[in-house]
Amino acid sequence: MKPIKSDRFVCTEISGGTFNTCQCRILVDRETGVNYLWTAAGYAGGLTVLVDAEGKPIVTPVPTAEE
C-alpha cells in the first residue's frame, strides 16, 4: 500500500505490513495532537482514538510555527 501524503496527519509508528497479517499505524493530528490507531487485516480495517487509562484522548504536543 502506498502511503498518502497529508499535511494534517503524520504517521508516527507502523507495524505489520503483509496482506495476511494485521497492519497497525499510529496517526497524529498535527492541528490537535490527538492520536489515532488505524488497523487493517485483509479487506477489513478500522480507526479509533487512542485513550489513556481514564478514557481521555492521548494528545501529543504539537509544535507551533515558531518552534
Side-chain angles (χ1 to χ4, degrees):
M1 174 180 355
K2 182 178 178 183
I4 298 172
K5 182 172 170 70
S6 170
D7 293 331
R8 174 127 189 206
F9 294 93
V10 62
C11 183
T12 60
E13 190 171 326
I14 300 174
S15 68
T18 64
F19 184 76
N20 293 328
T21 63
C22 181
Q23 300 174 33
C24 297
R25 296 179 185 206
I26 304 295
L27 304 171
V28 177
D29 184 332
R30 290 181 175 166
E31 292 184 20
T32 64
V34 175
N35 287 241
Y36 298 89
L37 172 65
W38 174 83
T39 62
Y43 294 107
L47 179 73
T48 189
V49 175
L50 286 175
V51 296
D52 62 15
E54 297 175 358
K56 297 178 184 176
I58 295 175
V59 178
T60 300
V62 179
T64 61
E66 296 86 35
E67 294 180 318

